[in-house]
Amino acid sequence: MLTAFARAFRTPDLRKKLLFTLGIIVVYRVGTHVPIPGVNYTAVQQCVTEASGNQGLFGLVNMFSGGALLQITVFALGIMPYITASIILQLLTVVIPRLEALKKEGQAGTAKITQYTRYLTVALAILQGTGLVATARSGALFSGCTVATSIVPDRAIFTTITMVVTMTAGTGVVMWLGELITDRGIGNGMSILMFISIAATFPSALWAIKKQGTLAGGWIEFGTVILVGLVMVGLVVFVEQAQRRIPVQYAKRMIGRRSYGGTSTYIPLKVNQAGVIPVIFASSLLYIPALVAQFSSGNSAWKTWVTTNLTKGDHPIYLVSYFLLIVFFAFFYVAISFNPEEVADNMKKYGGFIPGIRAGRPTAEYLSYVLNRITWPGSLYLGLIALVPTMALVGFNASGNFPFGGTSILIIVGVGLETVKQIESQLQQRNYEGFLR
């Protein structure tokens, strides 16, 4: 990987792309530290210090914003509205025939879906920005802080609108920066910004664990966490690269005097076909009842039960629910993202077949059978990886956030592998060597 980056910097046009990407990353990180108008920044810093990294219900969103959410900055919402909009559009493509037809229209249809994603991102940013301002006003953003209610001292409607508009504009700028990286930089811009947001929280989280440690001044806990993180990265890389290759043979066809086809290829079915989407779905679903209970008045029985069982990450009911939801959403997402019947029809249309399997319906049934079998270990792997941070914090008897959590490691490894592959493919195009040097 380091060799690929060194060779890229020696290539002029790739060097320009890498430097452009680094410049956009700097702009993005600066934006995560610029506070929005109407916020008492001194009170925010005091609450962040008193919270000691305990982000509660807002941990997932804060991670995707690179820690900007709890700072209530211009880029407080980060990339999360765009991620949510993309997932919603992807799910609606299966349900709404119009979107499904657009998806099949090629580049023009993809551009239209991208435009819808931008509109939905702005709408979600307005909704989430309003919710964040209301949460900050009520003091629920930092439940253990003594000055939490003074974070937003001005309650005027104009100040509220200004804050929401600023955060929505920040989300639009983040979306634009990501598209700039995609067009003029290296790799998928949104993925790289997500990578940077998560990686930016690592140093503070690691140092917090070191300060909370009791063995040799916290250095033993610090080293243990680093070792566990490296083992997890190796495991995730191994599983993310694992795939079941189903061989496909294309029959020869004679058109005039020329023969076409006769080639052999394969269909790569990844063990983790769903990626990190099931973890995000499960976290979001468990986040809803806890958020409703937080804003509801009174002390009803259901609110007490939700507060006791679904807001504490180390509670057995929370852990079991989280694990089962991840397994369910893994199968659900694979079912809507990979259609065996469509793949079988395309293979039959172009004269392809799986050796030993008849074309058409038997091929679709075989693909569905194989997909279900490899989704089981993939879903169990996702569930276990997602529970690692909670188990680690219980083992260390610490509070806060374990830096090498399941969602963060999955995203960092996936984006890292994708970026390196893109750099290597561009290097091969520019530095191709034949049989003779």
Side-chain angles (χ1 to χ4, degrees):
M1 183 180 69
L2 296 178
T3 304
F5 276 103
R7 289 172 56 198
F9 271 102
R10 288 196 297 265
T11 307
D13 51 346
L14 276 181
R15 184 170 61 246
K16 289 180 181 178
K17 289 185 175 183
L18 286 172
L19 292 176
F20 180 81
T21 303
L22 292 175
I24 295 296
I25 289 173
V26 170
V27 173
Y28 174 66
R29 288 306 300 162
V30 169
T32 58
H33 292 85
V34 178
I36 63 174
V39 173
N40 186 348
Y41 192 65
T42 305
V44 171
Q45 293 302 311
Q46 181 178 343
C47 286
V48 170
T49 304
E50 291 183 11
S52 300
N54 186 13
Q55 299 163 1
L57 296 174
F58 307 96
L60 180 68
V61 184
N62 190 62
M63 181 187 70
F64 281 114
S65 66
L69 175 75
L70 296 184
Q71 302 281 348
I72 318 181
T73 63
V74 174
F75 292 165
L77 302 179
I79 204 73
M80 198 62 182
Y82 184 84
I83 296 173
T84 308
S86 300
I87 294 174
I88 291 174
L89 260 296
Q90 195 169 5
L91 295 176
L92 291 179
T93 302
V94 185
V95 180
I96 301 177
R98 169 61 180 165
L99 293 177
E100 187 176 2
L102 282 175
K103 186 179 179 181
K104 295 179 180 179
E105 288 182 5
Q107 187 175 359
T110 304
K112 201 69 176 176
I113 293 178
T114 303
Q115 188 177 4
Y116 293 156
T117 306
R118 292 170 182 165
Y119 293 152
L120 185 58
T121 300
V122 173
L124 290 175
I126 295 174
L127 183 63
Q128 293 180 11
T130 306
L132 178 59
V133 173
T135 306
R137 276 184 175 179
S138 64
L141 190 61
F142 297 98
S143 55
C145 180
T146 55
V147 294
T149 54
S150 62
I151 290 178
V152 184
D154 190 357
R155 305 300 178 96
I157 186 66
F158 179 77
T159 304
T160 304
I161 294 175
T162 303
M163 295 172 69
V164 173
V165 169
T166 303
M167 284 189 286
T168 304
T171 300
V173 172
V174 170
M175 187 166 52
W176 177 60
L177 293 177
E179 292 179 357
L180 281 179
I181 294 177
T182 304
D183 294 337
R184 302 175 56 185
I186 296 292
N188 186 344
M190 299 300 176
S191 300
I192 290 178
L193 292 183
M194 197 188 312
F195 177 97
I196 297 301
S197 298
I198 296 171
T201 61
F202 277 14
S204 59
L206 286 170
W207 192 247
I209 288 180
K210 189 266 176 189
K211 289 196 297 184
Q212 293 174 4
T214 56
L215 301 176
W219 287 109
I220 293 180
E221 288 90 344
F222 181 83
T224 304
V225 169
I226 294 291
L227 183 61
V228 170
L230 292 175
V231 172
M232 282 187 61
V233 169
L235 174 65
V236 171
V237 169
F238 177 77
V239 178
E240 289 296 314
Q241 297 287 80
Q243 56 182 220
R244 168 72 183 274
R245 296 181 175 181
I246 299 179
V248 178
Q249 183 75 33
Y250 284 92
K252 287 185 177 181
R253 293 179 298 170
M254 295 297 296
I255 300 178
R257 293 184 178 182
R258 294 185 178 182
S259 63
Y260 295 88
T263 58
S264 298
T265 183
Y266 60 87
I267 301 175
L269 296 180
K270 295 179 64 177
V271 173
N272 182 22
Q273 191 83 5
V276 74
I277 300 298
V279 180
I280 297 176
F281 276 10
S283 302
S284 302
L285 199 61
L286 283 177
Y287 168 80
I288 293 175
L291 186 64
V292 172
Q294 189 178 44
F295 285 100
S296 63
S297 57
N299 292 317
S300 57
W302 73 271
K303 180 180 178 180
T304 304
W305 188 89
V306 169
T307 305
T308 305
N309 300 317
L310 294 182
T311 58
K312 298 179 180 179
D314 57 348
H315 197 280
I317 295 179
Y318 179 90
L319 294 176
V320 172
S321 303
Y322 192 32
F323 182 83
L324 293 178
L325 282 173
I326 290 174
V327 173
F328 168 76
F329 281 121
F331 278 92
F332 173 76
Y333 189 77
V334 168
I336 66 172
S337 61
F338 186 89
N339 189 350
E341 294 182 358
E342 184 179 349
V343 175
D345 290 341
N346 290 335
M347 289 171 53
K348 185 177 181 180
K349 185 185 302 182
Y350 295 103
F353 62 93
I354 300 174
I357 307 294
R358 294 182 61 184
R361 185 174 181 81
T363 298
E365 293 176 351
Y366 176 75
L367 290 175
S368 179
Y369 169 74
V370 173
L371 193 63
N372 286 333
R373 291 195 64 180
I374 67 173
T375 302
W376 268 114
S379 61
L380 296 177
Y381 145 81
L382 275 179
L384 292 175
I385 287 292
L387 294 181
V388 163
T390 302
M391 298 301 183
L393 289 175
V394 171
F396 289 132
N397 194 23
S399 61
N401 296 304
F402 185 70
F404 300 103
T407 309
S408 57
I409 289 295
L410 285 170
I411 293 175
I412 281 183
V413 169
V415 176
L417 291 174
E418 176 190 353
T419 305
V420 171
K421 285 179 181 178
Q422 291 216 13
I423 293 176
E424 288 182 343
S425 64
Q426 295 196 30
L427 282 173
Q428 289 177 358
Q429 294 175 4
R430 291 164 174 78
N431 301 317
Y432 177 77
E433 294 179 353
F435 293 107
L436 300 177
R437 291 177 179 261

